[in-house]
Amino acid sequence: MTPGPAAPAPIRVTAYIIRRVIAAIFLVLVVSAVTFLIFFWIPKLGGQTTTQLATQYVGKDANPDSVAAVKKNLGLDLPLYEQYWHFIKAIVMGADYKFGPDAAHCSAPCFGYSFKSHVEVWPQIEQRIPVTLSLAIGAAVIWVVSGVAIGVVSALKRGSLIDRLSMGVALAGVSLPIYFTGMVLLGLFSYKWPIWVNVQYVGFLSNPGQWAWNLILPWISLAFLYSALYARLTRAGMLETMGEDYIRTARAKGLPERVVVGKHGLRAALTPIITIFGMDFGLLIGGAVITETVFSFPGIGAYAVQAITDNDLPKVLGVTMVAALFIVVCNLVVDLLYAAIDPRVRFS
């Protein structure tokens, strides 16, 4: 029995996109359930009572009335499925919290409400997103362009001095932690040679030139680690790809070497790079903790560190949810990019 005709390419691509979007929505629900269980169910398995759990959301100096109010607001005495429903409902529709005669409203999306400082978590995260986003985008451009370029050159010049030197630098970049390179850059270019003095974040709309200038050192310190990793991955992928039969066929047809390398070799080697890039970029948007701490940038990572230091659990919960959602979105974008870069995805 002969198979039926294949669906047209646009239909297959549309079906692929729909499948990926549905999978992303399902993954968001899974992430929310896991986050909820980590913060609300696992502590109970560890022996904590609802009163002890509510005390963590209020702070160390909590009084019995505030603990009782938080316990009621979070529904900690309700069945687990009702607690999860209120958790999801608050994210989508917002929530109201009562403290005796006083009341507070957490607007949607409500990723948490700090019962310690009595502020909504999402507005605080939202105003820090441009800082982390600026840091992540600039560093990502540097590490992808430099890493892929170095990896391609190393693969084409395999065994040469350029190959050995670039891979040596890449090994050093992978080995050195971000806080070390960041402190070295600050020590050299802010103190010994005062080129970047008083490095602090400036909004892009306020002063685009100063925004870019103050981000150069954080971009370099963050990109150095990732570009080294991407250089090694690109080199390994190019060495494997350039030995394939279709590469020899392309050369036998008389195609220019730049077309063979760029269109046929590099394009196939980029698929695993894009996969890892989606994860790395999602993690950075979720909070470049070390870089923001070293350079004292008020981003999501620094906010998370301060929340942990203050033992403000709702803020930690909010950062966890937002970071997880960013990672899911970045992976969805990567899945959709597959169809544009790899023809095998479009015709599968």
mmCIF file of all heavy atoms in Angstrom, residues 6-48:
data_model
loop_
_atom_site.group_PDB
_atom_site.id
_atom_site.type_symbol
_atom_site.label_atom_id
_atom_site.label_comp_id
_atom_site.label_asym_id
_atom_site.label_seq_id
_atom_site.Cartn_x
_atom_site.Cartn_y
_atom_site.Cartn_z
ATOM 1 N N ALA A 6 2.150 13.747 0.817
ATOM 2 C CA ALA A 6 2.550 14.532 1.988
ATOM 3 C C ALA A 6 1.847 15.891 1.984
ATOM 4 O O ALA A 6 1.496 16.422 0.933
ATOM 5 C CB ALA A 6 4.067 14.735 1.998
ATOM 6 N N ALA A 7 1.616 16.405 3.157
ATOM 7 C CA ALA A 7 0.972 17.712 3.269
ATOM 8 C C ALA A 7 1.913 18.793 2.753
ATOM 9 O O ALA A 7 3.130 18.657 2.818
ATOM 10 C CB ALA A 7 0.613 17.990 4.730
ATOM 11 N N PRO A 8 1.354 19.888 2.205
ATOM 12 C CA PRO A 8 2.206 20.987 1.738
ATOM 13 C C PRO A 8 3.077 21.525 2.863
ATOM 14 O O PRO A 8 2.732 21.456 4.042
ATOM 15 C CB PRO A 8 1.189 22.037 1.260
ATOM 16 C CG PRO A 8 -0.059 21.260 0.985
ATOM 17 C CD PRO A 8 -0.073 20.131 1.956
ATOM 18 N N ALA A 9 4.234 22.076 2.476
ATOM 19 C CA ALA A 9 5.205 22.557 3.463
ATOM 20 C C ALA A 9 4.620 23.606 4.407
ATOM 21 O O ALA A 9 4.850 23.529 5.621
ATOM 22 C CB ALA A 9 6.437 23.105 2.752
ATOM 23 N N PRO A 10 3.841 24.618 3.917
ATOM 24 C CA PRO A 10 3.285 25.606 4.852
ATOM 25 C C PRO A 10 2.386 24.980 5.912
ATOM 26 O O PRO A 10 2.383 25.406 7.067
ATOM 27 C CB PRO A 10 2.512 26.566 3.940
ATOM 28 C CG PRO A 10 3.150 26.415 2.604
ATOM 29 C CD PRO A 10 3.552 24.979 2.515
ATOM 30 N N ILE A 11 1.610 23.958 5.514
ATOM 31 C CA ILE A 11 0.726 23.305 6.477
ATOM 32 C C ILE A 11 1.542 22.564 7.526
ATOM 33 O O ILE A 11 1.230 22.582 8.718
ATOM 34 C CB ILE A 11 -0.244 22.356 5.742
ATOM 35 C CG1 ILE A 11 -1.167 23.159 4.814
ATOM 36 C CG2 ILE A 11 -1.059 21.541 6.740
ATOM 37 C CD1 ILE A 11 -2.125 22.303 4.029
ATOM 38 N N ARG A 12 2.614 21.894 7.077
ATOM 39 C CA ARG A 12 3.445 21.162 8.022
ATOM 40 C C ARG A 12 4.127 22.117 8.999
ATOM 41 O O ARG A 12 4.254 21.818 10.189
ATOM 42 C CB ARG A 12 4.488 20.342 7.260
ATOM 43 C CG ARG A 12 3.903 19.165 6.490
ATOM 44 C CD ARG A 12 4.991 18.163 6.144
ATOM 45 N NE ARG A 12 5.985 18.733 5.236
ATOM 46 C CZ ARG A 12 5.897 18.679 3.913
ATOM 47 N NH1 ARG A 12 4.834 18.109 3.341
ATOM 48 N NH2 ARG A 12 6.831 19.197 3.141
ATOM 49 N N VAL A 13 4.595 23.256 8.497
ATOM 50 C CA VAL A 13 5.246 24.232 9.372
ATOM 51 C C VAL A 13 4.241 24.784 10.376
ATOM 52 O O VAL A 13 4.542 24.933 11.570
ATOM 53 C CB VAL A 13 5.874 25.367 8.542
ATOM 54 C CG1 VAL A 13 6.381 26.476 9.459
ATOM 55 C CG2 VAL A 13 7.004 24.833 7.682
ATOM 56 N N THR A 14 3.018 25.090 9.916
ATOM 57 C CA THR A 14 1.984 25.606 10.818
ATOM 58 C C THR A 14 1.637 24.582 11.890
ATOM 59 O O THR A 14 1.496 24.929 13.073
ATOM 60 C CB THR A 14 0.719 25.966 10.020
ATOM 61 O OG1 THR A 14 1.044 26.927 9.016
ATOM 62 C CG2 THR A 14 -0.344 26.538 10.941
ATOM 63 N N ALA A 15 1.514 23.313 11.489
ATOM 64 C CA ALA A 15 1.237 22.262 12.469
ATOM 65 C C ALA A 15 2.367 22.134 13.477
ATOM 66 O O ALA A 15 2.138 21.926 14.679
ATOM 67 C CB ALA A 15 1.010 20.932 11.745
ATOM 68 N N TYR A 16 3.590 22.285 13.003
ATOM 69 C CA TYR A 16 4.755 22.206 13.900
ATOM 70 C C TYR A 16 4.714 23.354 14.911
ATOM 71 O O TYR A 16 4.943 23.146 16.107
ATOM 72 C CB TYR A 16 6.032 22.269 13.063
ATOM 73 C CG TYR A 16 7.294 22.419 13.871
ATOM 74 C CD1 TYR A 16 7.868 21.330 14.509
ATOM 75 C CD2 TYR A 16 7.913 23.668 14.007
ATOM 76 C CE1 TYR A 16 9.026 21.472 15.261
ATOM 77 C CE2 TYR A 16 9.069 23.812 14.746
ATOM 78 C CZ TYR A 16 9.628 22.718 15.366
ATOM 79 O OH TYR A 16 10.761 22.859 16.112
ATOM 80 N N ILE A 17 4.390 24.562 14.447
ATOM 81 C CA ILE A 17 4.327 25.717 15.347
ATOM 82 C C ILE A 17 3.232 25.531 16.391
ATOM 83 O O ILE A 17 3.431 25.797 17.578
ATOM 84 C CB ILE A 17 4.097 27.012 14.540
ATOM 85 C CG1 ILE A 17 5.315 27.313 13.658
ATOM 86 C CG2 ILE A 17 3.800 28.192 15.460
ATOM 87 C CD1 ILE A 17 5.129 28.489 12.735
ATOM 88 N N ILE A 18 2.063 25.041 15.954
ATOM 89 C CA ILE A 18 0.955 24.818 16.889
ATOM 90 C C ILE A 18 1.348 23.794 17.956
ATOM 91 O O ILE A 18 1.062 23.965 19.148
ATOM 92 C CB ILE A 18 -0.310 24.377 16.130
ATOM 93 C CG1 ILE A 18 -0.823 25.529 15.254
ATOM 94 C CG2 ILE A 18 -1.396 23.923 17.102
ATOM 95 C CD1 ILE A 18 -1.985 25.150 14.362
ATOM 96 N N ARG A 19 2.009 22.725 17.527
ATOM 97 C CA ARG A 19 2.441 21.702 18.493
ATOM 98 C C ARG A 19 3.401 22.278 19.515
ATOM 99 O O ARG A 19 3.326 21.988 20.711
ATOM 100 C CB ARG A 19 3.093 20.525 17.768
ATOM 101 C CG ARG A 19 2.143 19.666 16.972
ATOM 102 C CD ARG A 19 2.783 18.315 16.651
ATOM 103 N NE ARG A 19 4.063 18.461 15.978
ATOM 104 C CZ ARG A 19 4.215 18.518 14.660
ATOM 105 N NH1 ARG A 19 3.149 18.455 13.876
ATOM 106 N NH2 ARG A 19 5.419 18.620 14.120
ATOM 107 N N ARG A 20 4.318 23.107 19.049
ATOM 108 C CA ARG A 20 5.311 23.683 19.958
ATOM 109 C C ARG A 20 4.650 24.661 20.938
ATOM 110 O O ARG A 20 5.048 24.731 22.112
ATOM 111 C CB ARG A 20 6.409 24.396 19.150
ATOM 112 C CG ARG A 20 7.218 23.463 18.273
ATOM 113 C CD ARG A 20 8.400 22.859 18.987
ATOM 114 N NE ARG A 20 8.084 21.954 20.094
ATOM 115 C CZ ARG A 20 7.785 20.668 19.942
ATOM 116 N NH1 ARG A 20 7.762 20.113 18.755
ATOM 117 N NH2 ARG A 20 7.525 19.923 20.993
ATOM 118 N N VAL A 21 3.684 25.443 20.473
ATOM 119 C CA VAL A 21 2.998 26.388 21.359
ATOM 120 C C VAL A 21 2.201 25.636 22.422
ATOM 121 O O VAL A 21 2.221 25.992 23.616
ATOM 122 C CB VAL A 21 2.085 27.321 20.541
ATOM 123 C CG1 VAL A 21 1.214 28.166 21.462
ATOM 124 C CG2 VAL A 21 2.916 28.227 19.641
ATOM 125 N N ILE A 22 1.494 24.591 22.007
ATOM 126 C CA ILE A 22 0.724 23.787 22.969
ATOM 127 C C ILE A 22 1.661 23.151 23.991
ATOM 128 O O ILE A 22 1.370 23.123 25.198
ATOM 129 C CB ILE A 22 -0.112 22.718 22.232
ATOM 130 C CG1 ILE A 22 -1.193 23.392 21.387
ATOM 131 C CG2 ILE A 22 -0.740 21.743 23.224
ATOM 132 C CD1 ILE A 22 -1.993 22.422 20.537
ATOM 133 N N ALA A 23 2.796 22.639 23.518
ATOM 134 C CA ALA A 23 3.763 22.040 24.437
ATOM 135 C C ALA A 23 4.305 23.076 25.418
ATOM 136 O O ALA A 23 4.528 22.773 26.600
ATOM 137 C CB ALA A 23 4.909 21.406 23.646
ATOM 138 N N ALA A 24 4.517 24.313 24.940
ATOM 139 C CA ALA A 24 5.016 25.370 25.824
ATOM 140 C C ALA A 24 3.982 25.719 26.899
ATOM 141 O O ALA A 24 4.335 25.921 28.066
ATOM 142 C CB ALA A 24 5.375 26.609 25.008
ATOM 143 N N ILE A 25 2.716 25.798 26.511
ATOM 144 C CA ILE A 25 1.656 26.087 27.492
ATOM 145 C C ILE A 25 1.596 24.983 28.549
ATOM 146 O O ILE A 25 1.479 25.253 29.754
ATOM 147 C CB ILE A 25 0.300 26.237 26.778
ATOM 148 C CG1 ILE A 25 0.317 27.471 25.868
ATOM 149 C CG2 ILE A 25 -0.840 26.341 27.790
ATOM 150 C CD1 ILE A 25 -0.921 27.615 25.002
ATOM 151 N N PHE A 26 1.665 23.731 28.097
ATOM 152 C CA PHE A 26 1.664 22.611 29.038
ATOM 153 C C PHE A 26 2.871 22.683 29.965
ATOM 154 O O PHE A 26 2.771 22.424 31.170
ATOM 155 C CB PHE A 26 1.662 21.288 28.264
ATOM 156 C CG PHE A 26 1.769 20.071 29.141
ATOM 157 C CD1 PHE A 26 0.677 19.629 29.877
ATOM 158 C CD2 PHE A 26 2.965 19.368 29.233
ATOM 159 C CE1 PHE A 26 0.771 18.517 30.700
ATOM 160 C CE2 PHE A 26 3.072 18.256 30.042
ATOM 161 C CZ PHE A 26 1.968 17.827 30.777
ATOM 162 N N LEU A 27 4.018 23.066 29.419
ATOM 163 C CA LEU A 27 5.233 23.166 30.225
ATOM 164 C C LEU A 27 5.119 24.274 31.268
ATOM 165 O O LEU A 27 5.618 24.127 32.397
ATOM 166 C CB LEU A 27 6.439 23.410 29.320
ATOM 167 C CG LEU A 27 7.820 23.395 29.991
ATOM 168 C CD1 LEU A 27 8.053 22.076 30.704
ATOM 169 C CD2 LEU A 27 8.910 23.638 28.952
ATOM 170 N N VAL A 28 4.457 25.368 30.910
ATOM 171 C CA VAL A 28 4.235 26.447 31.876
ATOM 172 C C VAL A 28 3.411 25.945 33.059
ATOM 173 O O VAL A 28 3.700 26.247 34.225
ATOM 174 C CB VAL A 28 3.551 27.647 31.195
ATOM 175 C CG1 VAL A 28 3.040 28.641 32.235
ATOM 176 C CG2 VAL A 28 4.500 28.342 30.250
ATOM 177 N N LEU A 29 2.381 25.154 32.766
ATOM 178 C CA LEU A 29 1.560 24.583 33.840
ATOM 179 C C LEU A 29 2.384 23.647 34.716
ATOM 180 O O LEU A 29 2.256 23.650 35.950
ATOM 181 C CB LEU A 29 0.364 23.841 33.245
ATOM 182 C CG LEU A 29 -0.684 24.708 32.540
ATOM 183 C CD1 LEU A 29 -1.764 23.832 31.912
ATOM 184 C CD2 LEU A 29 -1.319 25.685 33.528
ATOM 185 N N VAL A 30 3.238 22.853 34.082
ATOM 186 C CA VAL A 30 4.095 21.949 34.853
ATOM 187 C C VAL A 30 5.048 22.744 35.739
ATOM 188 O O VAL A 30 5.258 22.418 36.919
ATOM 189 C CB VAL A 30 4.871 21.005 33.908
ATOM 190 C CG1 VAL A 30 5.908 20.201 34.688
ATOM 191 C CG2 VAL A 30 3.914 20.073 33.175
ATOM 192 N N VAL A 31 5.633 23.805 35.172
ATOM 193 C CA VAL A 31 6.560 24.645 35.937
ATOM 194 C C VAL A 31 5.850 25.281 37.124
ATOM 195 O O VAL A 31 6.385 25.312 38.254
ATOM 196 C CB VAL A 31 7.175 25.728 35.030
ATOM 197 C CG1 VAL A 31 7.861 26.807 35.851
ATOM 198 C CG2 VAL A 31 8.162 25.106 34.060
ATOM 199 N N SER A 32 4.644 25.785 36.904
ATOM 200 C CA SER A 32 3.900 26.399 38.002
ATOM 201 C C SER A 32 3.575 25.378 39.086
ATOM 202 O O SER A 32 3.655 25.680 40.287
ATOM 203 C CB SER A 32 2.609 27.036 37.479
ATOM 204 O OG SER A 32 1.713 26.043 36.993
ATOM 205 N N ALA A 33 3.222 24.144 38.682
ATOM 206 C CA ALA A 33 2.913 23.105 39.668
ATOM 207 C C ALA A 33 4.145 22.724 40.470
ATOM 208 O O ALA A 33 4.084 22.587 41.704
ATOM 209 C CB ALA A 33 2.334 21.873 38.959
ATOM 210 N N VAL A 34 5.291 22.571 39.785
ATOM 211 C CA VAL A 34 6.526 22.204 40.488
ATOM 212 C C VAL A 34 6.939 23.320 41.442
ATOM 213 O O VAL A 34 7.329 23.067 42.600
ATOM 214 C CB VAL A 34 7.646 21.899 39.470
ATOM 215 C CG1 VAL A 34 8.977 21.733 40.181
ATOM 216 C CG2 VAL A 34 7.311 20.649 38.669
ATOM 217 N N THR A 35 6.855 24.573 40.988
ATOM 218 C CA THR A 35 7.211 25.702 41.850
ATOM 219 C C THR A 35 6.310 25.757 43.073
ATOM 220 O O THR A 35 6.772 25.982 44.202
ATOM 221 C CB THR A 35 7.108 27.016 41.070
ATOM 222 O OG1 THR A 35 7.909 26.940 39.887
ATOM 223 C CG2 THR A 35 7.566 28.187 41.915
ATOM 224 N N PHE A 36 5.017 25.545 42.859
ATOM 225 C CA PHE A 36 4.064 25.543 43.976
ATOM 226 C C PHE A 36 4.403 24.450 44.983
ATOM 227 O O PHE A 36 4.412 24.688 46.204
ATOM 228 C CB PHE A 36 2.651 25.348 43.440
ATOM 229 C CG PHE A 36 1.621 25.100 44.506
ATOM 230 C CD1 PHE A 36 1.090 26.151 45.234
ATOM 231 C CD2 PHE A 36 1.193 23.809 44.789
ATOM 232 C CE1 PHE A 36 0.152 25.919 46.221
ATOM 233 C CE2 PHE A 36 0.258 23.565 45.765
ATOM 234 C CZ PHE A 36 -0.265 24.624 46.495
ATOM 235 N N LEU A 37 4.698 23.254 44.490
ATOM 236 C CA LEU A 37 5.007 22.145 45.390
ATOM 237 C C LEU A 37 6.284 22.405 46.186
ATOM 238 O O LEU A 37 6.370 22.067 47.366
ATOM 239 C CB LEU A 37 5.143 20.849 44.580
ATOM 240 C CG LEU A 37 3.853 20.325 43.926
ATOM 241 C CD1 LEU A 37 4.147 19.092 43.089
ATOM 242 C CD2 LEU A 37 2.804 19.999 44.981
ATOM 243 N N ILE A 38 7.280 23.013 45.534
ATOM 244 C CA ILE A 38 8.543 23.294 46.224
ATOM 245 C C ILE A 38 8.333 24.259 47.382
ATOM 246 O O ILE A 38 8.898 24.089 48.474
ATOM 247 C CB ILE A 38 9.577 23.857 45.239
ATOM 248 C CG1 ILE A 38 10.026 22.761 44.256
ATOM 249 C CG2 ILE A 38 10.787 24.437 45.977
ATOM 250 C CD1 ILE A 38 10.938 23.263 43.156
ATOM 251 N N PHE A 39 7.489 25.271 47.181
ATOM 252 C CA PHE A 39 7.330 26.302 48.197
ATOM 253 C C PHE A 39 6.242 26.000 49.220
ATOM 254 O O PHE A 39 6.288 26.519 50.337
ATOM 255 C CB PHE A 39 7.026 27.653 47.528
ATOM 256 C CG PHE A 39 8.244 28.324 46.966
ATOM 257 C CD1 PHE A 39 8.684 28.046 45.686
ATOM 258 C CD2 PHE A 39 8.962 29.237 47.713
ATOM 259 C CE1 PHE A 39 9.804 28.657 45.162
ATOM 260 C CE2 PHE A 39 10.081 29.863 47.195
ATOM 261 C CZ PHE A 39 10.508 29.570 45.920
ATOM 262 N N PHE A 40 5.251 25.165 48.857
ATOM 263 C CA PHE A 40 4.113 24.983 49.742
ATOM 264 C C PHE A 40 3.918 23.543 50.237
ATOM 265 O O PHE A 40 3.336 23.335 51.300
ATOM 266 C CB PHE A 40 2.818 25.440 49.050
ATOM 267 C CG PHE A 40 2.747 26.920 48.813
ATOM 268 C CD1 PHE A 40 3.091 27.450 47.587
ATOM 269 C CD2 PHE A 40 2.358 27.780 49.820
ATOM 270 C CE1 PHE A 40 3.042 28.819 47.366
ATOM 271 C CE2 PHE A 40 2.301 29.148 49.603
ATOM 272 C CZ PHE A 40 2.638 29.665 48.372
ATOM 273 N N TRP A 41 4.349 22.561 49.461
ATOM 274 C CA TRP A 41 4.076 21.167 49.834
ATOM 275 C C TRP A 41 5.287 20.482 50.447
ATOM 276 O O TRP A 41 5.174 19.795 51.486
ATOM 277 C CB TRP A 41 3.601 20.393 48.600
ATOM 278 C CG TRP A 41 3.232 18.978 48.887
ATOM 279 C CD1 TRP A 41 2.270 18.540 49.763
ATOM 280 C CD2 TRP A 41 3.803 17.797 48.301
ATOM 281 N NE1 TRP A 41 2.209 17.176 49.762
ATOM 282 C CE2 TRP A 41 3.138 16.683 48.871
ATOM 283 C CE3 TRP A 41 4.793 17.590 47.358
ATOM 284 C CZ2 TRP A 41 3.451 15.373 48.515
ATOM 285 C CZ3 TRP A 41 5.107 16.288 46.996
ATOM 286 C CH2 TRP A 41 4.435 15.200 47.570
ATOM 287 N N ILE A 42 6.460 20.660 49.839
ATOM 288 C CA ILE A 42 7.663 19.989 50.343
ATOM 289 C C ILE A 42 8.006 20.421 51.772
ATOM 290 O O ILE A 42 8.397 19.574 52.590
ATOM 291 C CB ILE A 42 8.844 20.232 49.383
ATOM 292 C CG1 ILE A 42 8.593 19.498 48.056
ATOM 293 C CG2 ILE A 42 10.156 19.778 50.008
ATOM 294 C CD1 ILE A 42 9.702 19.626 47.042
ATOM 295 N N PRO A 43 7.868 21.719 52.138
ATOM 296 C CA PRO A 43 8.120 22.062 53.550
ATOM 297 C C PRO A 43 7.229 21.295 54.524
ATOM 298 O O PRO A 43 7.682 20.934 55.622
ATOM 299 C CB PRO A 43 7.829 23.566 53.600
ATOM 300 C CG PRO A 43 8.104 24.034 52.212
ATOM 301 C CD PRO A 43 7.639 22.920 51.323
ATOM 302 N N LYS A 44 5.983 21.033 54.129
ATOM 303 C CA LYS A 44 5.101 20.253 55.005
ATOM 304 C C LYS A 44 5.596 18.811 55.114
ATOM 305 O O LYS A 44 5.504 18.192 56.177
ATOM 306 C CB LYS A 44 3.668 20.278 54.469
ATOM 307 C CG LYS A 44 2.999 21.637 54.570
ATOM 308 C CD LYS A 44 1.562 21.578 54.088
ATOM 309 C CE LYS A 44 0.891 22.938 54.207
ATOM 310 N NZ LYS A 44 -0.519 22.909 53.728
ATOM 311 N N LEU A 45 6.115 18.260 54.008
ATOM 312 C CA LEU A 45 6.673 16.915 54.074
ATOM 313 C C LEU A 45 7.885 16.870 54.997
ATOM 314 O O LEU A 45 8.191 15.823 55.589
ATOM 315 C CB LEU A 45 7.081 16.443 52.666
ATOM 316 C CG LEU A 45 5.953 16.173 51.669
ATOM 317 C CD1 LEU A 45 6.534 15.696 50.343
ATOM 318 C CD2 LEU A 45 4.970 15.149 52.213
ATOM 319 N N GLY A 46 8.572 17.998 55.084
ATOM 320 C CA GLY A 46 9.735 18.069 55.975
ATOM 321 C C GLY A 46 9.368 18.245 57.433
ATOM 322 O O GLY A 46 10.272 18.318 58.275
ATOM 323 N N GLY A 47 8.091 18.344 57.733
ATOM 324 C CA GLY A 47 7.654 18.425 59.126
ATOM 325 C C GLY A 47 7.186 19.790 59.563
ATOM 326 O O GLY A 47 6.829 19.976 60.736
ATOM 327 N N GLN A 48 7.183 20.779 58.664
ATOM 328 C CA GLN A 48 6.737 22.108 59.055
ATOM 329 C C GLN A 48 5.219 22.140 59.193
ATOM 330 O O GLN A 48 4.490 21.542 58.395
ATOM 331 C CB GLN A 48 7.172 23.152 58.018
ATOM 332 C CG GLN A 48 8.632 23.535 58.093
ATOM 333 C CD GLN A 48 8.945 24.745 57.241
ATOM 334 O OE1 GLN A 48 8.100 25.242 56.511
ATOM 335 N NE2 GLN A 48 10.176 25.231 57.332
#
